[in-house]
Amino acid sequence: MLLDFLDPVKRNLKRYWDIVKKINEIEEDISSLQNEDLVKKTYEFKERLAKGETTSDLLVEAFAVVREVAKRTLGMRHFDVQILGGLVLFHGGIAEMKTGEGKTLVATLPLYLNALVGHGGHLVTVNDYLAKRDALWMGPIYKFLGLTVGVIQHEEAFLVDWEDKEKFTVKLVPCSRRQAYLADITYGTNNEFGFDYLRDHLVVSEDEMVQRELYYAIVDEVDSILIDEARTPLIISGPAEESTEMYYVAKKVADNLIKDIDYETDEKLKTASLTQDGVKKIEKLLHIDNLYDERFVDLVKHINQALRAKEFFHRDVDYIVKDGEVIIVDEFTGRLMFGRRYSDGLHQAIEAKEGLRVQSENQTLATITFQNYFRMYKKLAGMTGTALTEAREFKEIYNLDVYVIPTNKPVIRIDHPDVVYKTEDAKFRAIVKKIEELYKKGQPVLVGTRSIEKSERLSKMLKRLNIPHNVLNAKYHEKEAEIIKDAGQYKAVTIATNMAGRGVDIKLGEGVAELGGLFVLGTERHEARRIDNQLRGRSGRQGDPGESQFYLSLEDELMRLFGGDQVKSILTTLRVDEDEPIEHPLLSRIIENAQKKVEAYNFSIRKNLLDYDNVLEKQREVIYKEREKILKEPSIRDEIIEMIKEVVATTVNAHYVTEELDDERKVELEKALTNILGRNLRLGEVSNIKKDELIEQIQDLAIKLYEEKETRFTPEIMRNVEKYLLLRNIDSNWKDHLYAMDELKEGIGLRAYGQKDPLLEYQIESRALFDAMLDRIKYDTVFMLYRVELAPKEENKTKNDKADKKKKR
């Protein structure tokens, strides 16, 4: 008992059981309410929340109300264990509930209660079919209680609406993605939620954003989404050809420009800026009217980088060309820095300069791992049939505890011991023989394979015996769900990759229970024990009879790779016939140890990915918050003024490095400031002026010039231009930064050979790249703002007058 008290999971479960009793105690009172009284409960709960009560205060009554509405609309009453699962989900835990225990119904309890707060709740599924199915299936409960329900699909979105209110049937009505997210409860897949989040941080207007804050999410099949898919980040890539071509155009332009006539350079800052003559020459070369038109923001940036590549980066000094790639030479050690790339498009500019293929195909515009996406929700919960074997990972990475919820009825499935054969061929012969035996008997069999290739091999063998069967792979669609549903019918033979049709219940056909229920046959062990458990769990749902057995061979991948010498020694000592199953007490131990080894190895890979992504996550947070602020604030003028001051201070500091400014440095500083401000600047007598005073004077002048520019245009246009240019520069530089970070990560592992911690090195270097990117954003934005040309007020007025006259005619 003392150990139970010390275990927070067991302690909480005991507390939750006490709450289940309280919910049961008021069931009769809630059942006596009329339909309209139940509907009013939602408004009553919202009022109570507005007056200061919390969702925990409403919990007992709210859960009882949802249970009653489920009875009336769906004819389904939540079992006590389902209420228990709902409590785990409400409190932000993972409910491990066996297949067929009704997780879809369980989710309605916490989703309803959390939706009352008004921030929306997300139900995350593994595929579009389940998102649509679950929203339609549970929709009547939410609609009855006055809540709105949205459904996000790959290329469309829907709202759930009444089809027949009297019969409690609902339908899907097309809507915008934003409307679906504004619903109280939104169903969708992990991919769609993640990609919409990334797309929201690429838009240039707040109206284009679809998601609101990430408040509460229940992740269905949580192990599949947060563990199996955690190794693959979501990536949005930009169009390749367009950006690649622009580097070559910029290179040709740079080759045609003459230093000190068409552009001026600053060796300290390693920057190059166009003169008025240069601008005119480019406009003539490219047949464009105004280089500083907003359409050419990226082109100007590429030209500047091409000039930098031309002037400051020299082959066999700063970099070498090897096997068609530009490899940076470390300026301090002279070593080649494989995998490193210059950021901000400079590396691509050097590739273009050297006549190499510019490597910016599949340019990453935005990326995030599922781990970091789901950790952004204020409150996260999950449910699955199998999570306990990964409890440590859920706790360590997501701070989620796993609660094993007992089944409503005892599991009476018979799990037979594994059958092991010497060779894979012998194993497949035995499997086919077993399937034939079950088929003749009429007992349905679900065969789980690890790959499509293996499922097709089995299918060919069954065809030779004229045994009718269905083959499914893991490409989710509705047809697949229908097939898996029928896998429990008399004489059904279904071959599926282990994960196919996950989340769909298999109901037994007539007379099948008497034959022993569904027989689940695993053709080999998976790397993760929980996936084997998931397969077993397809059989024996809700007290149904069932059987499961795994057929293995010593040639299986898991045994070969992780069974090691023990398996080899068994192979040499055993002189059994190929078609005889091997029974050896060591085998079961070897199998389990092999799986544990792989699980630990995969966990370390996911943990490593997360450690690296956490570095990027902090940077992404800074950039995305800044973007949101720009989109939402009516004016960012104050921020622009601060940027101007910073760029001026950085420029002065780069040149005014000694006690006083000599004539040569003064000329360089004048050039640099002229480049930034777009005006000829003469500093006059500055040798006696202290650096801080000089910075202040130039900042005042820069602001005055900016204010002069403002007076020529309408305030509204000026504010919009500021936002537009800053967003464009953020996106352009962030895109290049992601590319540089990818390259850095690719090559950083080699630092381990130099007795350095790659992660620490990555953190240090990525910080330097990030700071440089922030400086570049400020510089580019200020540079463009002093040059951007807009139609003055008078011109706008004339255009408007002409338009008015046309209308009057």
Side-chain angles (χ1 to χ4, degrees), residues 687-699:
S687 53
N688 299 324
I689 300 176
K690 287 184 178 171
K691 183 160 60 173
D692 290 349
E693 285 176 37
L694 181 63
I695 288 172
E696 213 172 295
Q697 283 181 20
I698 297 168
Q699 284 173 338

Side-chain angles (χ1 to χ4, degrees), residues 44-62:
E44 181 198 309
F45 291 148
K46 284 183 177 178
E47 274 179 23
R48 284 165 63 183
L49 286 170
K51 286 175 184 169
E53 285 191 55
T54 65
T55 45
S56 296
D57 297 328
L58 306 176
L59 195 153
V60 172
E61 204 178 339

